[in-house]
Amino acid sequence: MSIQSAVMPSPSISIIPNKAIAGGVASQLMSGDEAVAAAALDAGVRFASSYPGTPATDILESLIRYSDPKKVRCVWSINEKVAYESALAVAIAGQRSFVSMKQVGLNVAADAFMNSCPGGTNAGLVLVVGDDPECHSSQNKQDTRHYRAMSGALLLEPSDAQEAYSMTREAFLVSERFLLPIIIRLTSRTAYGCTPVQRKPADAGAATFNWPREPQRFFIVPTVSRRLFLRISKLQCEMAQWIAESAFSYRKDASRRCGKRFGILCTGIGSALSCEYLPANAGMLKVGGEPFPDDEIGSFVNAHDEILVLEEGDALLEQRARALARQGVIVRGRISGDLKPVGELQVSEIVAAISGENATNSPPPPDLPARLPEICKPCGYHKVFGALKQLSNIATPSDIGCNSLGGLPPYSVMDGVWAMGSSIGVACGLAAIGHPRIVAIIGDSTFFHAGIPPTIEAVHEAYALTILLLDNGTAAMTGGQGVAHRSSGNPIQNGIDMIRLIGSLGVARCTPFDPHKLGQDGIRDLVEQSFSEPGVKVLLYRSQCGVYSPGYFTESNPNKTRLEREE
Amino acid sequence: MKTNFETFNVLITGLGGQGVLLVSKAIAAAASRSRVFACRTESRGLSQRGGSVCSEVRFGPTIVAPVIGRHSADVILSLDALEAARVLSFLKPDGILLTNTHFVAPLHILSTWRNESREQEQHAALGRQLMSIFASRVEARVLDLPELAAAARCERGVNCALIGAASRYLPIAADDLRASFRAMIKPQHRKASMRAFDAALEVTPWSPYADLKTDKLPA
């Protein structure tokens, strides 16, 4: 017996002609993440920075693998804001630079990013942002194109790895033409999807830097700022025209002879997802990025009877098409309800929307137990979450990283998770209104990223709260990137001393413990006891991540890391 | 069964850490060796923590989309029986499923079973449910991959065994797949891994592509 319903139509392939899916010996299979890293290297960047986060982590990891550390300085920054600011400085000083992060990381860097656009850059500055429209591994699905609109910068969105490479190479040139940072927007599929990539000859890149003093550009007091925003505003039309004329946009109108003129309006992966299922006479406008070329979009939409809009994320292109469409032109997409309102585009719904058939006649999926992310078996987190489960009437704001797994079954001991470092900020508010049993749970990488300022506030305001700082010596959730208290490989610096750092903040106490020695009941008692004391108490879990930092902490003394012992 | 193909879709699934990505990389690399185009996509991040991992490899003369829709996979390869059942709706009506007979029960289900002291019973019941789902498909091949790997003295080579067995069902010359897989294994594990690969290849005799050689593939 076999399932005989809703079989895909056999592909009638209509390849976009300007796409470089030409094979040959020179092409290699690369993911979008790898392709942008290769492009940055080939563009001659001197500096690259990032903070780890899915789906953008592989970008800097790949660049570190590809590049010579003497030629390209690659840095896992303390957070996205510092990553962006460092890259900005290099580009203003005349050397190409490159910075990557996930979509919610741009929230952290947004202050620096937004305020860097008025003055702009000198050498090429490319910001790659990895969006996660399906929330595979993120708190939210936010669409980076909204930041593009706020900043007035130019954004390019590739449809596959080859285009990710070509766009990134081109982005450095465009950045130098408009003197603005350029955003490359990847989405989970373009970040991880692999296609053959042909690289182009490398640029040498500037060997020396020149840090300018140009207060009329970079000292953005109100009078300077107003003038600079006028420049960005005037640039929008020119940039939109550049997008329309670039090799990354493509237009083919539906033939007039064949009844209803149907066309696909798309950006990013939309063209790749629909190509195989389009009737031969269908039209297509692929828009390479933003600002949207309104004239081109308007003329395409109005040359058709029916348009299907395919874009990952929010319905920005669809809104534009609806605004530009004359009466009688049908615009379909997420707003019209032809595609589901949120989440990644699914091939099945695209096929149904193109063919006009309903795709719901599949048999229901078998009733199978869900598979949730789990804490690795030997991890000391089991003891911590088991201990929290024994405590009653506690408030447990938690944070990003492996510690958030304590919010899932079988433990389910977390009250909530918001943004990087929010555990301590939320604990501050609860302490201000007098909650007696607060324990904020945060990991080491997140603490360095955004946990120190709220800790200072808690001490300063004399809040009574407990911080359970889970230090496993690595950013484990994203695959074990370095953190500030580990050696960076720099011979004069062996990493930040975590205990001295916390001590210097003036907390009531900082108690390091080894979860495997103390055990679940011991941890429970330690936390319980901390509630009876005034002020800020830091309970410092110190235990290796069995996967990414084995042997990092000494066995005999959890107060010292292996490096601290060697000193 | 077709031997002359336009586009061939392989879906590989399993749990984080089992080697789904290794299997898909080896297939994509071998497909590239044969001068056809390959796409691969994968889910990562949270799923590295024991969650479901899925990767798709597509090859043919003109691939554009990195993902496939329902009823589009020519072959599904699975390292975990529960994950195979989860993605079965992606298989073509005449597609082939090649799966491990074993599965890892999700932790939250396991603790419920343990609380009821019915772990073994429940595990076996879920196993039977999975097998009956597979039995409803014509082209389902269920393999005891851990046993094959153990017999080849390569206990950790479950993914090696899967790819060895898979080489019978892919329109890629087995030598190409073998070579690209071998190149991805650390030198110290190569011998044992290839033993598991060959053991699985040997016990999987049937193949629609038995006579296929690299030079017969479309350029």
Side-chain angles (χ1 to χ4, degrees), chain B residues 97-128:
Chain B
L97 167 71
L98 192 61
T99 179
N100 192 350
T101 163
H102 298 274
F103 65 94
V104 178
L107 192 62
H108 62 109
I109 297 287
L110 207 57
S111 47
T112 317
W113 292 348
R114 278 180 191 154
N115 291 344
E116 297 166 0
S117 312
R118 295 174 59 207
E119 185 183 339
Q120 290 197 337
E121 251 175 84
Q122 295 278 42
H123 193 101
L126 182 53
R128 280 194 302 276

Side-chain angles (χ1 to χ4, degrees), chain A residues 252-322:
Chain A
K252 177 198 150 206
D253 285 7
S255 137
R256 275 188 176 278
R257 287 164 297 178
C258 316
K260 185 182 74 176
R261 288 164 301 167
F262 172 76
I264 299 277
L265 174 61
C266 59
T267 183
I269 202 168
S271 59
L273 289 178
S274 59
C275 260
E276 291 171 55
Y277 308 104
L278 282 183
N281 60 335
M284 179 182 278
L285 175 61
K286 173 187 178 292
V287 181
E290 290 187 33
F292 287 134
D294 281 352
D295 293 348
E296 190 74 11
I297 294 170
S299 91
F300 176 79
V301 169
N302 293 317
H304 291 78
D305 303 310
E306 189 179 321
I307 294 290
L308 176 65
V309 187
L310 299 176
E311 59 192 317
E312 287 280 44
D314 296 337
L316 303 184
L317 191 55
E318 188 180 353
Q319 277 172 355
R320 200 56 141 240
R322 289 169 81 95

Side-chain angles (χ1 to χ4, degrees), chain A residues 1 3 5-6 8 13 15 23 29 54 58 137 192-194 272-273 276 348 367 369-371 373-374 402 476-477, chain B residues 15 28 37-40 42 45-46 49 58 62 64-65 67 70-72 80 82-83 86 93 104 106-108 136-137:
Chain A
M1 205 176 76
I3 299 159
S5 55
M8 288 286 174
I13 297 190
I15 293 290
L29 198 61
T54 311
D58 286 6
S137 199
Y192 288 135
C194 297
L273 289 178
E276 291 171 55
S348 306
D367 185 24
R371 179 125 19 218
E374 292 168 4
C402 279
M477 178 64 96
Chain B
L15 305 184
F37 301 113
C39 285
R40 189 165 63 85
E42 58 204 50
L46 267 177
R49 304 281 154 267
R58 313 188 66 207
T62 49
V64 276
V67 286
R70 294 193 185 279
H71 314 298
S72 304
D80 182 284
L82 177 54
E83 295 312 304
R86 217 186 286 289
V104 178
L107 192 62
H108 62 109
S136 70
R137 305 296 305 234

Side-chain angles (χ1 to χ4, degrees), chain A residues 495-553:
Chain A
I496 307 295
D497 185 327
M498 181 72 103
I499 292 174
R500 276 175 61 194
L501 170 73
I502 295 167
S504 74
L505 300 178
V507 297
R509 73 152 147 151
C510 173
T511 310
F513 68 92
D514 179 334
H516 297 288
K517 287 216 172 118
L518 199 54
Q520 187 168 304
D521 294 350
I523 297 169
R524 178 200 60 205
D525 296 344
L526 188 65
V527 176
E528 181 64 55
Q529 188 206 340
S530 75
F531 292 142
S532 61
E533 297 168 15
V536 177
K537 289 80 58 178
V538 178
L539 308 180
L540 180 60
Y541 165 112
R542 298 200 101 178
S543 176
Q544 67 180 21
C545 165
V547 182
Y548 297 115
S549 63
Y552 184 62
F553 295 100

Side-chain angles (χ1 to χ4, degrees), chain A residues 120-430:
Chain A
T121 177
N122 289 319
L125 171 58
V126 174
L127 163 66
V128 183
V129 186
D131 281 10
D132 182 1
E134 187 71 28
C135 304
H136 287 296
S137 199
S138 308
Q139 311 98 294
N140 78 32
K141 58 153 190 71
Q142 72 183 53
D143 188 327
T144 294
R145 293 179 296 167
H146 294 291
Y147 276 113
R148 193 312 299 169
M150 287 197 287
S151 68
L154 187 144
L155 177 146
L156 294 171
E157 186 171 347
S159 60
D160 64 11
Q162 175 64 62
E163 209 170 45
Y165 178 87
S166 307
M167 280 183 171
T168 308
R169 286 300 299 272
E170 194 68 28
F172 283 98
L173 299 172
V174 184
S175 172
E176 285 158 9
R177 170 175 164 185
F178 295 116
L179 301 179
L180 277 174
I182 306 296
I183 305 172
I184 303 281
R185 181 192 184 224
L186 297 178
T187 52
S188 303
R189 265 110 165 241
T190 47
Y192 288 135
C194 297
T195 58
V197 174
Q198 279 185 310
R199 292 165 73 163
K200 282 184 274 189
D203 292 340
T208 55
F209 69 87
N210 173 31
W211 177 247
R213 177 170 291 175
E214 284 184 80
Q216 289 304 307
R217 273 182 74 192
F218 301 114
F219 199 74
I220 50 167
V221 289
T223 48
V224 176
S225 218
R226 283 183 208 116
R227 182 175 49 74
L228 292 171
F229 275 112
L230 204 60
R231 178 184 93 94
I232 294 182
S233 173
K234 282 179 181 159
L235 272 180
Q236 298 302 300
C237 282
E238 202 184 326
M239 293 197 293
Q241 196 180 348
W242 183 88
I243 299 255
E245 290 167 2
S246 76
F248 310 123
S249 295
Y250 161 77
R251 175 170 173 175
K252 177 198 150 206
D253 285 7
S255 137
R256 275 188 176 278
R257 287 164 297 178
C258 316
K260 185 182 74 176
R261 288 164 301 167
F262 172 76
I264 299 277
L265 174 61
C266 59
T267 183
I269 202 168
S271 59
L273 289 178
S274 59
C275 260
E276 291 171 55
Y277 308 104
L278 282 183
N281 60 335
M284 179 182 278
L285 175 61
K286 173 187 178 292
V287 181
E290 290 187 33
F292 287 134
D294 281 352
D295 293 348
E296 190 74 11
I297 294 170
S299 91
F300 176 79
V301 169
N302 293 317
H304 291 78
D305 303 310
E306 189 179 321
I307 294 290
L308 176 65
V309 187
L310 299 176
E311 59 192 317
E312 287 280 44
D314 296 337
L316 303 184
L317 191 55
E318 188 180 353
Q319 277 172 355
R320 200 56 141 240
R322 289 169 81 95
L324 293 164
R326 288 200 201 99
Q327 207 167 7
V329 178
I330 301 167
V331 178
R332 297 161 65 202
R334 294 185 195 272
I335 298 171
S336 69
D338 289 274
L339 303 172
K340 59 186 168 52
V342 291
E344 277 178 346
L345 293 168
Q346 300 299 327
V347 172
S348 306
E349 64 172 352
I350 293 173
V351 171
I354 291 172
S355 64
E357 284 164 18
N358 201 336
T360 53
N361 53 353
S362 301
D367 185 24
L368 298 169
R371 179 125 19 218
L372 302 170
E374 292 168 4
I375 306 161
C376 307
K377 274 199 184 118
C379 184
Y381 282 20
H382 287 288
K383 302 248 180 342
V384 172
F385 301 145
L388 292 176
K389 199 160 187 168
Q390 293 180 27
L391 293 163
S392 53
N393 300 322
I394 54 171
T396 54
S398 91
D399 229 300
I400 312 295
C402 279
N403 67 79
S404 63
L405 297 174
L408 300 173
Y411 297 109
S412 306
V413 290
M414 305 305 187
D415 293 338
V417 55
W418 292 271
M420 294 289 282
S422 288
S423 58
I424 304 176
V426 167
C428 284
L430 277 177

